[in-house]
Amino acid sequence: MALSSTLSRLNLIPRPWLPYKVTTLRALKLKPQLLRPMWAPLTLSSFSVSAQIHRPQDDNLVVLGIETSCDDTAAAVVRSSGEILSQVVSSQADLLVRYGGVAPKMAEEAHSQVIDQVVQEALNQANVSETDLSAVAVTIGPGLSLCLRVGMQKARKTAGSFNLPIIGVHHMEAHALVARLVERELQFPFMALLISGGHNLLILAQGLGQYIQLGTSIDDAIGEAYDKTAKWLGLDMRRSGGPAIEELAQEGDAESIKFSIPMKQHKDCNFSYAGLKTQVRLAIESRNINAEIPISCASSQDRRSRADIAASFQRVAVLHLEERCQRAIEWALKIEPSIKHLVVSGGVASNQYVRARLDQVVKKNSLQLVCPPPSLCTDNGVMVAWTGIEHFRMGRFDPPPPAVESEDFVYDLRPRWPLGEEYAEGRSEARSLRKARIHPSLTSIIQASLQQQH
């Protein structure tokens, strides 16, 4: 893999007071044969006949990846050899500070204003044009519907204009698979812990598109807990809560406040951070910490109190990860004794304290820890492009969309989309996830399409 890839961060933040329009989409009546879900594999022969597209050799694929699932607009161009030709991210950090978190309508407006520029910059940096591309990959879920739509529209417009196949990507799978770009020795099966602002997920990756869900969030994810704690402590949110908490925690006593570890009574691999958030908020209130006073203006005693809370919170938040990972490793080794690696990815995987603690758990079980570099842990276009490449090699892609899309076209967006099938032992009485409008898991979709082929 070429490690000399360029990472650009564009500070392209829209004015938050711009009007927001909602377009109502009418249901589109498609012919039955067109209702094949994205991801159903196409045979190469039928694809080449219907789409009349030349498929380059596997070692020379060039894929554009587009990511707009939450609060960063990202695009990248990646070659199937593993070379990252470009990587561009437009951050919404200023909006996060202004609204104290992600505001979906504002985030959508931000994506809409910069998506064309971000994609063009990615192509320019890669020194390629759309005609050099083999395919376009785009995140279709999980994520915020309004945000996902912006990326999907751009991907379909690009693919349609240049007669390119399109690949719908699962956001969490992309976080896991980008490790295979970084560590080319990483083979299936492997384990992955995916930790971000919106998700905590422990999976056993048995093959491409074949995942067993060992554990997931039943309420708040660890990244959400970091962000809220940072906000309540008056920390600088422009870098997000994780880095701010990690830095302040180095000044504090991690044993000073005895927060309880979540879900100790539940012997499964699911995660819960809502209760820990409540404990932190009460600790902050009891010490009369005023979040309106930024940490930079706090007295030395007040700063010490905040640092103690940050350190104590981080210790317990990560202990919860460690405990769940240990149990998940035991379960996974029963299913696949040949596992050698635990991948840790997602935004929170950039945290050095998290990496160090999980490395101890992994070594204790004679496994190896694989963490992508921080720029590939947070949401990015590289992971989407690479996941697109992996599936494209397997013949999993959709034909080019029409050059001009019908106004009433209904986009295949999957805001709530499980990655794998739930492990039977992992079902928890504590599960409180809403079941309504959850899309069938990626694994079940691929398994069903494979059965149809046989």
Side-chain angles (χ1 to χ4, degrees):
M1 184 194 80
L3 293 177
S4 59
S5 61
T6 305
L7 169 64
S8 292
R9 284 204 165 265
L10 306 180
N11 294 313
L12 305 172
I13 306 302
R15 295 179 182 178
W17 56 84
L18 289 174
Y20 170 76
K21 295 181 181 178
V22 178
T23 303
T24 304
L25 298 176
R26 298 193 302 277
L28 181 64
K29 294 180 180 178
L30 293 174
K31 295 178 182 178
Q33 64 266 32
L34 296 181
L35 291 174
R36 177 183 54 78
M38 187 174 278
W39 284 110
L42 292 167
T43 62
L44 292 180
S45 58
S46 67
F47 184 86
S48 59
V49 169
S50 62
Q52 296 181 346
I53 291 218
H54 172 63
R55 185 182 179 198
Q57 294 299 310
D58 278 357
D59 60 355
N60 201 31
L61 299 172
V62 179
V63 173
L64 167 67
I66 297 174
E67 156 63 28
T68 62
S69 65
C70 191
D71 59 343
D72 280 345
T73 312
V77 179
V78 178
R79 199 181 294 278
S80 53
S81 63
E83 183 183 4
I84 300 171
L85 300 178
S86 66
Q87 183 180 359
V88 181
V89 178
S90 173
S91 171
Q92 295 184 15
D94 290 354
L95 285 180
L96 294 177
V97 173
R98 186 188 300 264
Y99 293 102
V102 179
K105 291 182 180 181
M106 295 300 106
E108 181 206 28
E109 187 67 40
H111 287 306
S112 297
Q113 289 205 358
V114 302
I115 186 68
D116 290 342
Q117 188 173 348
V118 166
V119 169
Q120 190 57 53
E121 179 67 16
L123 293 170
N124 292 347
Q125 282 188 21
N127 198 25
V128 300
S129 68
E130 289 90 344
T131 55
D132 299 312
L133 298 174
S134 310
V136 178
V138 59
T139 303
I140 63 173
L144 300 171
S145 296
L146 294 173
C147 299
L148 290 166
R149 185 180 306 280
V150 177
M152 176 70 103
Q153 286 174 332
K154 179 62 177 178
R156 289 185 66 85
K157 182 178 178 182
T158 303
S161 299
F162 295 92
N163 203 35
L164 296 168
I166 190 166
I167 311 154
V169 169
H170 192 295
H171 181 80
M172 299 309 286
E173 182 184 37
H175 272 306
L177 293 186
V178 75
R180 282 167 50 85
L181 180 151
V182 176
E183 179 57 68
R184 303 309 288 274
E185 302 291 310
L186 180 61
Q187 300 294 322
F188 295 105
F190 63 86
M191 283 185 64
L193 169 66
L194 309 176
I195 40 179
S196 65
H199 303 275
N200 269 40
L201 193 60
L202 266 167
I203 60 166
L204 169 58
Q206 295 180 297
L208 183 64
Q210 303 290 325
Y211 306 100
I212 296 175
Q213 176 183 296
L214 302 172
T216 189
S217 308
I218 65 169
D219 44 52
D220 298 331
I222 187 171
E224 156 74 5
Y226 265 99
D227 286 344
K228 278 294 194 297
T229 299
K231 181 182 176 183
W232 295 334
L233 290 174
L235 306 188
D236 183 351
M237 294 293 289
R238 281 174 295 182
R239 298 178 303 154
S240 83
I245 289 287
E246 184 179 16
E247 185 178 311
L248 181 61
Q250 293 173 3
E251 303 175 24
D253 177 2
E255 301 286 345
S256 61
I257 304 170
K258 303 300 181 186
F259 294 131
S260 59
I261 301 172
M263 295 181 68
K264 286 286 283 186
Q265 73 277 23
H266 296 283
K267 303 303 179 185
D268 55 45
C269 298
N270 294 318
F271 301 89
S272 167
Y273 283 94
L276 180 57
K277 276 171 51 182
T278 301
Q279 292 181 68
V280 169
R281 184 172 51 79
L282 293 173
I284 289 171
E285 289 174 0
S286 70
R287 287 161 179 75
N288 297 317
I289 292 170
N290 183 0
E292 297 297 317
I293 301 173
I295 187 77
S296 56
C297 301
S299 66
S300 57
Q301 183 178 349
D302 188 17
R303 184 182 181 95
R304 180 56 190 250
S305 290
R306 298 189 200 201
D308 285 347
I309 291 173
S312 300
F313 157 76
Q314 180 167 256
R315 181 182 70 85
V316 173
V318 178
L319 272 173
H320 187 33
L321 288 183
E322 294 175 53
E323 182 184 88
R324 269 30 200 171
C325 276
Q326 176 59 43
R327 184 173 291 117
I329 289 170
E330 292 167 7
W331 286 1
L333 287 172
K334 285 182 189 174
I335 304 167
E336 296 278 5
S338 61
I339 291 169
K340 302 245 181 341
H341 299 91
L342 171 68
V343 170
V344 179
S345 189
V348 182
S350 305
N351 183 305
Q352 295 303 311
Y353 178 81
V354 170
R355 290 189 184 208
R357 296 294 303 179
L358 291 177
D359 192 42
Q360 291 183 24
V361 174
V362 166
K363 284 178 177 172
K364 187 170 72 176
N365 290 277
S366 302
L367 301 179
Q368 288 178 280
L369 187 70
V370 178
C371 292
S375 68
L376 297 182
C377 281
T378 51
D379 292 352
N380 63 87
V382 172
M383 69 183 195
V384 177
W386 179 255
T387 302
I389 288 168
E390 292 237 32
H391 282 282
F392 192 74
R393 285 169 167 159
M394 300 290 289
R396 296 174 188 155
F397 49 83
D398 281 320
V404 179
E405 202 91 77
S406 168
E407 286 185 10
D408 56 3
F409 182 79
V410 178
Y411 293 99
D412 179 17
L413 303 175
R414 304 172 182 182
R416 304 185 66 234
W417 189 16
L419 179 56
E421 294 299 280
E422 194 173 10
Y423 181 50
E425 264 188 70
R427 294 198 177 95
S428 167
E429 295 174 7
R431 288 293 296 276
S432 61
L433 280 176
R434 291 170 297 157
K435 295 291 184 183
R437 295 192 301 170
I438 293 182
H439 203 87
S441 75
L442 171 65
T443 298
S444 66
I445 291 170
I446 288 180
Q447 286 176 341
S449 62
L450 290 174
Q451 288 171 1
Q452 286 176 1
Q453 285 187 320
H454 293 308

